[in-house]
Amino acid sequence: MGGRYARVVVDVPNARVDRHFDYMIPDRLAGVVQPGSRVLVPFGPRSVSGFVVGQSDAPEVAEVRDILDCVRDSPPIPEDLLEVATWMSRTYLCLLVEALRAMVPSGTKVESSRTVSLKVGPKLARAVRLVPGAGDPEALVQSLSRRSPAQAAIVHALLERGREITRAELLGTMGYSASALNSLVRSGIVERVDVTVERDPFRGLPVEHTAPPELSPDQAAAVAKLEAAMDSGGGVVVVHGVTSSGKTEVYLRMLERSVRMGRQGIMLVPDISLTPQMVDRVRGRFGRRVAVLHSALGAGERLDEWARIRRGDADVVVGARSAVFAPVPRLGVIVVDEEHDTSYKQDESPRYHAVEVAEWRASRAGALVILGSATPSVETYYRSEIGVYGRIELLKRIDDRPLPDVHVVDMRAELKSGNRSIFSRRLQAHLAERLASGQQAILFMNRRGFSTFVLCRDCGYVVTCPNCDVSLTYHARMPAMTCHYCNHTTPVPDICPSCGGERIRYFGAGTEKIEDEVKKLFPEARVARMDVDTTRRKGAHREILTSFRTGRVDVLVGTQMVAKGLDFPSVTLVGVVSADTALNLPDFRASERTFQLIAQVAGRSGRGPVRGVVIVQTYNPTHYSITTASHHDYRRFYEQEVAARFETGFPPARELLRVLVSAEDEPSAARAAGAIAAVCRDRAAGHDVSVEVVGPAPAPIERIAGKFRWQVLLLAADGCALREVAVKGVRESGCAGRKAGVTITMNVNPQSIL
């Protein structure tokens, strides 16, 4: 749709301007400004950047001002993603501009003064080319070859290339002489120019092409069903397959099918730690027609990959959550691997869920969504039970390899028998056996750091964060205590600040302590740790996993990063050091998280020819999430868990919306939450759909980063009614924007209510 006027959403995060404004497109920008463009516009007394969301022949207001400038060094947001942004603003109750920001590569902020440009622009490199009109190139080569073969070789190379060659390539990769090049420049045969070069996140990484393996009968049946779904217009299909059942090969076949149909595919993985391994597999099948999008890329790399995808130069996009917005021109399939993972839900506004975005986007494009997992989320599996989604089961491992033997160890009995180590005797014995036989092991602990709290043995004082209601975690490598919520860091006290006692002791364990204990027990073992602390540096994920894959590491210790998707045939032992970490959290999904983590990390064992063993250490050995995980029995877990959810009314029985109020003083947070809850109850009483209002109450973690937190929960079978009541409750309570220091957020179907 064209026109002389542009509808612009200004990049001002304020609810009062959360709509489009009309601007005239000046003649000098005609044909440049289009839907999806980023522009500079006058807004009140200042100039601000904005997004063009449409064009028209006539404005909606009497007086309009001209657009000042338009970003030219980045392609516009595709119109289908503009529709996604509009849908997200309604669905997740966020500002439209927040949703629009999610459509563009992070880190490509717009700078504005009187002109507008990206903070991260195209990368320029010094290059050389033949000067037009400098003479017949063939004749030049002939004449130069007699007096300067080096100069003749450069002219010949430029003639063969038919365009510019960067100086770095000419002198480095191609090995030509700098003095010969300079002589050609001085003689006017060659000139220096700046050219745009594409930043390549795969630079230096070779493509190892792989042939598709023969499918098992179960895989072949799954592919046939998915192809039928793709041919009939798409939809959503759950691929529920046990670990090592060959789900990834099924995904690759469907991506290949999409490409054969002239369309593109997106493959989402839940964590950038999985991206290197998955990218290698996808590149092995699709070569250089693969693009990658995730937060570990530099801003320039993200911009170039986004532009390459937008042009249609990539057949498959691999990435984490935000890759669901990849601007593929002809979407055919979206694969969501490990769909149950909580990282697919964004914590900051816009608080979208990538699975829901994938489903909505695919429905508009007639594309197929594949939701794959060995432990589907309860909500996803329920939708497949009632027929909203299709479902395919892969219940056997490839080549009929057995699932690992799982042994549950009651740590209470270990304590009674005198074992105060963080490792049970069974886990120590199996670890020694694996190391002696040259096999590998993974030890899982979903806490990082060395000790989870520091305590005075004289008075019981626990060192807590001054900004949050949590204990500080001791990190031995720093060495210091750190808050994992606000990053407050302080040295460990020598004397108790409460009683003056000197018996300061460390309790609890994290990945750092696990690593340390393994090295003490097995000094010859080569141990690596994979958690947030060891993977901050770019490329660290790939380095750690490469070392493990190539056998340079015997034991990999890690948080949930090691629980997902990793495929190493030499791993025959997995130790879950503490299965109770998630189980004791005050959250309705605690049992589900526990089952998923145990089942997923257990699935890393025995993926090769040797049967795997899993040791699960727990103080709750009879809890159903642990017993069902130890028997690889997802169905039995699901039946018990979904029954509990329907009894309490939590998802999937009803949709959930959380209103979180935070303030610097607790009375302000409590008053605002109470006012919102009161209005919500009043509006719910008059609604024709049942909406339950729970609260107000302090959040389970009452204070984070110096802010007191209160919450109101709303539950309803109808999502529209839920949003309507919540929005009215916040707006009509008079709390929104009324007092500085009070922040209100609404989160639709949050993954945690901590």
Side-chain angles (χ1 to χ4, degrees), residues 333-409:
V333 62
I334 302 177
V335 176
V336 185
D337 190 28
E338 312 289 3
E339 68 79 29
H340 65 276
D341 200 278
T342 57
S343 62
Y344 284 124
K345 172 76 171 179
Q346 178 153 295
D347 291 330
E348 303 83 27
S349 191
R351 293 176 175 82
Y352 68 90
H353 198 298
V355 170
E356 296 167 351
V357 176
E359 184 177 354
W360 191 88
R361 189 177 177 190
S363 70
R364 307 284 290 184
L368 174 67
V369 176
I370 302 172
L371 305 179
S373 177
T375 57
S377 72
V378 172
E379 291 95 322
T380 291
Y381 199 83
Y382 175 74
R383 292 188 187 105
S384 74
E385 284 281 274
I386 63 175
V388 175
Y389 297 162
R391 188 171 78 227
I392 295 169
E393 305 272 7
L394 295 172
L395 300 180
K396 293 187 294 184
R397 283 186 157 186
I398 292 293
D399 298 329
D400 285 328
R401 288 182 188 136
L403 289 162
D405 290 324
V406 181
H407 304 283
V408 177
V409 176

Side-chain angles (χ1 to χ4, degrees), residues 481-516:
M481 298 180 297
T482 298
C483 174
H484 291 169
Y485 285 90
C486 74
N487 209 34
H488 171 80
T489 301
T490 186
V492 178
D494 296 319
I495 297 173
C496 174
S498 177
C499 72
E502 298 181 356
R503 296 202 300 161
I504 304 295
R505 299 291 185 268
Y506 305 95
F507 291 88
T511 49
E512 200 174 322
K513 187 172 184 178
I514 305 302
E515 177 190 20
D516 190 67

